[in-house]
C-alpha cells in the first residue's frame, strides 16, 4: 500500500473511512424508519450522491498524490495537468 | 512559503476538514430532521449546497489570482489560480451530480433549464476551457496568460449569463439562508447542519488547494534544479 | 486620438481588402450558412412544426456557427507567413489591433447575416416582421458582443495546437446571453410585437456587448504579448 506512505493518502483514507463508518448506521436507520411504508429509491439517491461526492474528491487527491510522487521520485515529470 | 510549510498548512486544514466531514455525516444521517415535503432525498442538500459554494469560491479565486497574475506576473499567483480551477472542476462535478440526483426524485426530472443549474453548468465549462487552453498552448508562458484571460473574462461575463438565465421561470428553491426579507427560512437543525457542511467543505477545499499548490511549488523547484545542474554525461 | 483611429482604420481596410480579393473566409461562411439552411429543411419535419415558429432560433444558431467558422481564422491567417509579427511590432497599440479585428469581423458576420436572412426568406418564406430598423439594431448590438468575445478567443485558440477546435468550448458558455436575448428579441420582432417587449432584451444585449468589448480591449494585450 504505497498510498499509506503519502500524507494526502492517509488524509483521504481517513476521510473515506469516516464517511463509510457513517454510512453503516444510515442503513440501520433505513431499517427502522421507513422500510415498510416507503420505497428505497430516495435512500439510493442519497447514497449515490454522497458516494459520488467522495469518490470525486478522493480521485482528485489520488491524482495529486500520484503527480507529487512522480516528482519526488526524482523524476522531472514535466507536464501540466 | 516553503514546501514544508505549505504541506503543514494543508495537513492542518485537512485534519480539521475531515473532522468536520465526520461530524457532518453524523449530523446528516442521525440528527437533522427529515424535510416534510421532499423526505429523505432532501439530505443531498448538505453536500449539494456546500459544493456549490466551494465551486463559486474556486471560480472567484481563479479569476482574482488570474487577474493579479496578469498584472504582477508572480508565478505563485498562477499556481494558486490553477489549483483553485482544478478544485472548481472537482467540486463543480460534485454539485452537478448531486443536484440532478436530488432533482430526479424531488421534481421528477433530473434536469430542468433552471437558472442556477444552467449557470453552474456553464461555469463548469469555463473551468474546462481554462484547462484546455493551458494544456494545448504552444508556448507555456502564453498558456498561463491565456488561461488567466479565460478565467477573468469568464468571471466578468458569468454575472450577465446569470441575469439572462434568470429570465426563465424556475423550479429551483429560492435562497433559504440569505433570504433578506424574512431571515433564514430553514429549520434551526437544518441550518446548523448546512453550516457545518459549508465549513467542512471549505476546509477540505483549502486543504487540497494547498496540496495542489505544493505540487506546483515542487514542480517549480525541480525545474530550477535541472536547470542549475545539467545532467553529467 | 485621430492617429489611433487612422491606424485602426488602416488595419480594417487591409483586412477587408484581403477578404475581398481572396474571399476565402466569406465564401466558407456564406456557404456554410446556406448549407445549414438546406440541411435544416431536411432535418425538421415541416408537417409537425411550422418553420416560422423556429425562425429566430434557427437564424441565431446559423449565425453563431457560420460566424465562428470564419472568425476562428482571424489570427491563424496572420500567423501563416508570420504576418502577425509585423502587425504586433508595428506602432499600432495592441488594443487598436484588437478593435480593428473586431470591426473587420463585425463586417464579415454582418455580411453572412444578410446571406442567412436572404436564404431563410428564399427557402422557407420567413416573415421578418415590420420593424426592420429595430431588427437591424438588435442584430447589430448582439453581433458586436458575439464578435468581441469570439475575436479575443480566436487569438487564444490560434496559439494552441488545438486551433479552432478549442473555440466552441471557450465561447459558447459565455455567449448564452447573446443567444437568449438575441433569440427572444428577434423572435418578438418577427412576430411584430410592440417595441417595448423588445427593449429590455436590447438593453441587456447592449450591456453584454459593452462588458465584452471593454474586457476584450483590456485583456487582448496579455494574449498576444511576446
Amino acid at each position: 500500500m504505497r498510498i499509506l506512505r503519502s500524507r494526502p493518502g492517509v488524509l483521504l483514507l481517513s476521510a473515506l473511512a469516516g464517511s463509510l463508518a457513517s454510512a453503516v448506521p444510515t442503513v440501520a436507520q433505513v431499517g427502522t424508519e421507513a422500510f415498510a411504508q416507503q420505497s428505497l429509491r430516495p435512500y439510493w439517491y442519497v447514497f449515490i450522491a454522497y458516494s459520488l461526492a467522495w469518490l470525486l474528491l478522493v480521485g482528485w487527491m489520488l491524482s495529486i498524490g500520484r503527480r507529487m510522487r512522480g516528482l519526488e521520485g526524482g523524476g522531472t515529470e514535466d507536464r501540466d495537468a | 512559503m516553503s514546501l514544508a510549510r505549505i504541506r503543514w498548512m494543508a495537513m492542518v486544514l485537512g485534519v480539521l476538514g475531515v473532522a468536520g466531514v465526520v461530524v457532518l455525516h453524523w449530523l446528516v444521517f442521525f440528527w437533522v430532521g427529515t424535510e416534510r415535503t421532499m423526505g429523505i432525498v432532501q439530505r443531498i442538500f448538505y453536500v449539494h449546497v456546500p459544493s456549490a459554494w466551494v465551486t463559486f469560491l474556486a471560480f472567484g479565486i481563479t479569476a482574482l489570482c488570474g487577474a493579479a497574475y496578469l498584472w504582477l506576473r508572480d508565478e505563485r499567483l498562477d499556481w494558486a489560480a490553477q489549483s483553485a480551477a482544478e478544485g472548481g472542476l472537482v467540486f463543480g462535478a460534485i454539485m452537478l451530480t448531486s443536484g440532478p440526483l436530488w432533482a430526479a426524485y424531488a421534481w421528477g426530472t433530473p434536469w430542468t433549464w433552471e437558472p442556477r443549474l444552467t449557470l453552474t453548468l456553464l461555469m463548469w465549462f469555463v473551468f474546462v476551457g481554462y484547462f484546455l487552453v493551458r494544456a494545448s498552448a504552444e508556448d507555456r508562458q502564453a498558456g498561463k496568460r491565456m488561461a488567466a484571460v479565460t478565467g477573468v473574462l469568464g468571471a466578468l461575463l458569468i454575472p450577465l449569463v446569470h441575469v439572462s438565465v434568470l429570465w426563465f421561470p424556475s423550479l429551483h428553491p429560492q435562497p433559504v439562508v440569505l433570504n433578506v426579507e424574512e431571515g433564514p427560512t430553514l429549520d434551526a437543525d437544518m441550518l446548523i447542519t448546512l453550516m457545518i457542511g459549508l465549513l467542512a467543505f471549505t476546509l477540505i477545499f483549502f486543504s487540497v488547494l494547498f496540496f495542489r499548490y505544493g505540487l506546483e511549488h515542487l514542480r517549480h523547484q525541480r525545474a530550477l534544479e535541472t536547470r542549475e545542474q545539467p545532467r553529467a554525461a | 486620438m485621430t492617429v489611433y483611429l487612422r491606424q485602426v482604420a488602416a488595419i480594417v481596410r487591409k483586412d477587408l481588402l484581403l477578404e475581398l480579393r481572396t474571399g476565402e473566409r466569406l465564401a466558407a461562411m456564406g456557404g456554410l450558412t446556406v448549407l445549414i439552411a438546406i440541411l435544416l429543411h431536411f432535418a425538421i419535419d415541416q408537417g409537425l412544426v411550422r418553420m416560422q415558429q423556429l425562425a429566430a432560433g434557427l437564424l441565431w444558431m446559423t449565425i453563431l456557427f457560420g460566424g465562428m467558422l470564419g472568425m476562428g481564422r482571424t489570427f491563424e491567417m496572420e500567423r501563416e507567413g508570420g504576418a502577425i509579427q509585423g502587425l504586433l511590432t508595428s506602432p499600432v497599440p495592441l488594443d487598436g489591433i484588437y478593435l480593428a479585428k473586431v470591426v473587420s469581423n463585425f463586417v464579415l458576420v454582418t455580411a453572412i447575416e444578410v446571406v442567412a436572412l436572404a436564404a431563410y426568406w428564399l427557402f422557407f418564406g420567413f416573415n421578418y416582421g415590420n420593424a426592420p430598423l429595430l431588427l437591424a439594431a438588435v442584430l447589430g448590438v448582439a453581433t458586436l458582443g458575439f464578435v468581441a468575445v469570439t475575436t479575443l478567443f480566436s487569438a487564444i485558440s490560434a496559439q494552441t495546437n488545438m486551433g479552432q477546435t478549442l473555440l466552441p468550448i471557450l465561447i459558447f458558455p459565455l455567449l448564452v446571453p447573446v443567444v437568449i436575448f438575441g433569440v427572444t428579441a428577434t423572435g418578438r420582432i418577427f412576430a411584430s410585437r410592440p417595441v417595448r417587449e423588445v427593449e429590455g432584451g436590447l438593453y441587456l444585449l447592449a450591456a453584454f456587448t459593452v462588458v465584452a468589448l471593454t474586457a476584450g480591449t483590456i485583456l487582448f494585450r496579455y494574449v498576444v504579448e511576446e
Side-chain angles (χ1 to χ4, degrees), chain B residues 74-127:
Chain B
D74 188 327
E75 289 295 314
R76 286 173 296 182
L77 288 164
D78 175 62
W79 302 343
Q82 190 193 354
S83 309
E86 219 172 275
L89 215 51
V90 172
F91 281 94
I94 294 177
M95 169 181 59
L96 289 170
T97 48
S98 60
L101 276 165
W102 179 9
Y105 193 81
W107 298 336
T109 168
W111 190 264
T112 58
W113 289 102
E114 187 283 324
R116 263 166 289 169
L117 220 58
T118 316
L119 173 74
T120 47
L121 181 63
L122 294 170
M123 203 164 78
W124 194 76
F125 271 110
V126 176
F127 281 128

Side-chain angles (χ1 to χ4, degrees), chain A residues 60, chain B residues 50-68 77 80-92 95 118-131 147-162 205-206 209, chain C residues 153 169-170 173-174:
Chain A
W60 185 32
Chain B
S51 55
W53 148 250
V54 169
T55 311
F56 278 87
L57 188 66
F59 197 68
I61 295 177
T62 306
L64 282 180
C65 289
L77 288 164
Q82 190 193 354
S83 309
E86 219 172 275
L89 215 51
V90 172
F91 281 94
M95 169 181 59
T118 316
L119 173 74
T120 47
L121 181 63
L122 294 170
M123 203 164 78
W124 194 76
F125 271 110
V126 176
F127 281 128
V128 172
Y130 181 92
F131 280 104
V149 166
T150 309
V152 171
L153 191 66
L156 288 173
L157 292 184
I158 279 290
L160 281 162
V161 175
H162 188 49
F205 167 68
F206 276 108
L209 187 72
Chain C
F153 279 116
I169 282 232
L170 295 176
L174 301 179

